[in-house]
Structures are given as structure tokens and as C-alpha cells.
Amino acid sequence: MKPTTNDTGQTPAPAATKIHDELQALKDSILRIAVNFRELRSPLDQSRAAVPQATSQLDKVTQQTEQAAARVLDHAEKLSSQLAEMVTLLNVAINDYADRKLEGPGRAALEKAEELANISQNDAFTIIDALQFQDITSQQINSAASMLEEVEERLDVMLGFVDRGSGAQSAPAQREKSARKERAFDPHADMQVKHTGQSGVDDLVRATIKKS
Amino acid sequence: MSDLKILAVDDSPTMRRIIVNTLHRAGYNDIVEAENGKDALAKLETESVNFVITDWNMPEMDGLSFVTALRGSERHKKTPVLMVTTRSVKEDIVDALKVGVNNFIVKPFTPDTLKEKIDQILAG
């Protein structure tokens, strides 16, 4: 409201009016900024709330691939054990043929069966070895989840600014760090890409042993 | 077949099973498992382990801290240690060798590589 007269009943000088107008404009600006801050809060809060949901989904992926890998391992180990037994039995039969100096399609079939059993056993081992992917992908997932948790922390900081800017009295509720899963991972874990391949590692080891 | 008692340390149950399976195929049947460095140190108190295979990135106590603690103990300062990890940055490999890791395998590994590195360490 513009002052019309001062205490002595006189109209204020133009400079004072101007200062008053500018202060009023500044006050209006500050109020608008406070409103903007309050409007920012909701989307920031929603983004922050989405992070634990996202990390929980990622953790579920790791958990479920781990369970699936365990089931595959169960069967692959059983298979390789059964194939090993088959190879043993086939060897008994083949040796029996040999001892009795028997030839013919029967012996050839047994020898072929033994060969196939050995190949299948190696295939079972290959399946087992290939399941290493589950450890490596779970590290990649943990790396992604950790990045999301860093975003969550930054959003907490921004929410703090927003709350101060909007004049809120209480600090934003933050997810306790202790409530978060402890994550241990190599951020560079990869099935194919290596900074140093095994032969490079071997060179380093040899060089180190030589020095000592 | 072998009188080696091996401690396999990895936080991934899948990877522990694969390592154990690979060791069985290589003829090593006396194997103890641990899920991180802290668990490994506890197992070492009660098991007569004479060879360690360890991962690096593990919660509670990582592989580097575990090997450092191992080398600080009178009983295990010379126990052979093979590190099996995804880490392949040169500086990491050097750090591992500095704390006393005897040899280093980058995941994913082949069974032949695991056997070869164990043999190399045992041959001194």
C-alpha cells in the first residue's frame, strides 16, 4: 500500500516512494520464488521416492538370476555326475569285450557311446563355467543401483534447499543409509571387456616375482 | 588325491559353487567356503587351510583387507593366496600383489587357468 502522507501530514518525497515500490516488488518476487520452491518439492520428492523402488527391482533381478543359476547348477552337476558314471560303466563293458577279444558292432557302439558320454560331460562343465555371468551381471546391477542411491542423496540435498527456500520448518525425511543394502562391486565388471587380459596379468605377476 | 585344504572366499553363492566344482574336477576335494573376508578369517581359526582362493569385492571385508589381515597373522603369513576377481585395472593388480597375493585370475576364468595358477603357486 502506498503511503499517502507521513506522520507530519506531508506527502513523501518521490525517492522514498520509489524505494517503497522497489521493496514491494522485491517482496513479491521473494513470495513468488517461495511458491516456486514449494512447487518444486513435489516432483523432487516423487523422484526421490522412486529410487528405493528402482533399486529394489534391480536387487530382485540379482536375486532371481541367482536362484535360476543355482537351479541350472543343480541339474548340470547331476548330469555331469551321471555321465561320469556312464563313462565308467561303458569302460567296464568295453574292457569286457577286449578281455574276451570280441569285436564287431557291439564293441564299436560301446566305444562310440563312451565318446559321446565324455563329450556330454564336457558340455555339462561348459554350462557350469558359463554361469559365471550371474556374478558379473549382479556386480553391474549393483553398480547401477549404487548410482541411483547417489542420485537419491543429491535429491535429498536439493530437497533441503527447496525446503529452506520455501520456509519449511522441518528437514525432509531421508531414507537411513543403514536401511540401504551394503553393495560390493567392481564398477568395471564385464564379461568381455577387460582393462588387462589374463596374459597381461600373468606378465605383471612374473615381473613382480622377478623384482622380489 | 591331494592333501590341499582350500578356502574359497566369494560373496556370490553361484561363483563359490563354480569354483568348488572346478576344484573338484581338478582333483581337489577338501574345500571350505566363506562369503567374505570376515567370514574367511573366522573359518581360518577352526579349519586347517593351506591354500586360499579369494574374490576382491565383497561386503563387510573385501579381499584386499582380508589378504592384508592374513599376511599379518603368524599362522598364515605364508599361506598361498590366489585372487579370482573381475578387477583388471593394472593398479589394482599391482596393489593385490603388494599386499601378498601370490597370483591373480581375471573373471570369467577357465578351469584350465584355475588349475594352472594353483600349480604355479604350489611349484613356488
Side-chain angles (χ1 to χ4, degrees):
Chain A
M1 196 197 305
K2 247 185 210 181
T4 48
T5 55
N6 61 18
D7 290 344
T8 60
Q10 293 172 327
T11 306
T17 306
K18 194 176 177 196
I19 289 169
H20 174 270
D21 287 347
E22 284 180 8
L23 284 172
Q24 184 66 44
L26 183 61
K27 178 188 164 188
D28 291 342
S29 267
I30 290 170
L31 285 172
R32 274 197 300 276
I33 289 169
V35 166
N36 289 338
F37 268 121
R38 280 195 288 275
E39 284 171 1
L40 265 177
R41 199 183 203 290
S42 176
L44 284 174
D45 220 6
Q46 283 170 18
S47 299
R48 202 258 314 265
V51 169
Q53 291 166 16
T55 56
S56 169
Q57 282 296 105
L58 288 171
D59 289 339
K60 223 189 254 183
V61 170
T62 295
Q63 197 184 44
Q64 292 183 355
T65 55
E66 193 175 281
Q67 287 165 0
R71 286 196 297 275
V72 174
L73 271 166
D74 287 342
H75 290 291
E77 283 172 347
K78 208 165 150 184
L79 193 61
S80 74
S81 169
Q82 287 166 350
L83 287 163
E85 197 180 332
M86 222 159 111
V87 166
T88 304
L89 291 169
L90 286 164
N91 271 323
V92 167
I94 291 166
N95 289 337
D96 185 45
Y97 263 72
D99 290 345
R100 291 191 280 151
K101 295 189 187 356
L102 292 171
E103 296 293 339
R107 181 169 167 172
L110 286 170
E111 285 169 346
K112 185 68 185 172
E114 187 209 17
E115 184 192 328
L116 289 171
N118 271 316
I119 291 169
S120 297
Q121 194 183 29
N122 284 332
D123 289 342
F125 292 150
T126 302
I127 291 169
I128 290 169
D129 297 337
L131 289 168
Q132 291 182 62
F133 87 88
Q134 195 277 321
D135 172 37
I136 291 164
T137 55
S138 81
Q139 292 195 56
Q140 292 168 334
I141 287 169
N142 269 323
S143 179
S146 177
M147 283 187 241
L148 283 171
E149 283 163 350
E150 280 176 32
V151 167
E152 186 186 9
E153 285 174 19
R154 289 193 192 120
L155 286 170
D156 282 339
V157 169
M158 284 175 67
L159 278 164
F161 284 134
V162 162
D163 283 348
R164 282 194 291 280
S166 63
Q169 296 303 306
S170 58
Q174 294 177 1
R175 187 161 68 117
E176 286 295 325
K177 279 195 181 167
S178 59
R180 292 185 193 161
K181 181 183 167 181
E182 185 185 350
R183 299 186 187 280
F185 58 90
D186 169 15
H188 304 294
D190 196 289
M191 283 295 289
Q192 266 98 40
V193 176
K194 311 278 166 215
H195 284 260
T196 314
Q198 188 62 50
S199 60
V201 169
D202 295 344
D203 290 341
L204 270 168
V205 170
R206 270 192 291 274
T208 306
I209 292 170
K210 213 171 168 177
K211 264 189 215 168
S212 57
Chain B
M1 186 176 172
S2 160
D3 59 0
L4 218 55
K5 183 162 194 166
I6 302 175
L7 175 63
V9 192
D10 201 301
D11 59 322
S12 162
T14 305
M15 189 53 76
R16 283 201 308 274
R17 267 183 86 170
I18 293 169
I19 289 173
V20 168
N21 184 282
T22 309
L23 289 170
H24 283 158
R25 282 185 257 158
Y28 302 108
N29 295 307
D30 198 356
I31 303 160
V32 179
E33 296 178 48
E35 55 184 25
N36 56 52
K38 190 176 166 189
D39 186 28
L41 289 173
K43 294 270 163 70
L44 286 169
E45 293 288 307
T46 55
E47 304 277 357
S48 314
V49 165
N50 48 21
F51 197 101
V52 171
I53 296 174
T54 182
D55 186 14
W56 185 316
N57 293 101
M58 298 179 287
E60 290 203 61
M61 182 186 251
D62 69 16
L64 217 62
S65 306
F66 163 55
V67 175
T68 305
L70 198 70
R71 292 299 181 229
S73 82
E74 196 53 43
R75 192 172 159 203
H76 289 291
K77 63 183 178 188
K78 291 199 168 136
T79 299
V81 176
L82 173 61
M83 186 159 262
V84 181
T85 172
T86 53
R87 288 202 183 215
S88 62
V89 171
K90 186 182 168 187
E91 288 73 23
D92 289 344
I93 300 164
V94 170
D95 285 347
L97 295 169
K98 275 184 184 163
V99 302
V101 164
N102 297 98
N103 216 318
F104 198 102
I105 292 178
V106 180
K107 289 176 184 174
F109 61 88
T110 67
D112 287 344
T113 302
L114 186 68
K115 180 158 193 333
E116 180 195 311
K117 297 309 168 202
I118 294 173
D119 290 345
Q120 277 177 3
I121 293 173
L122 294 176

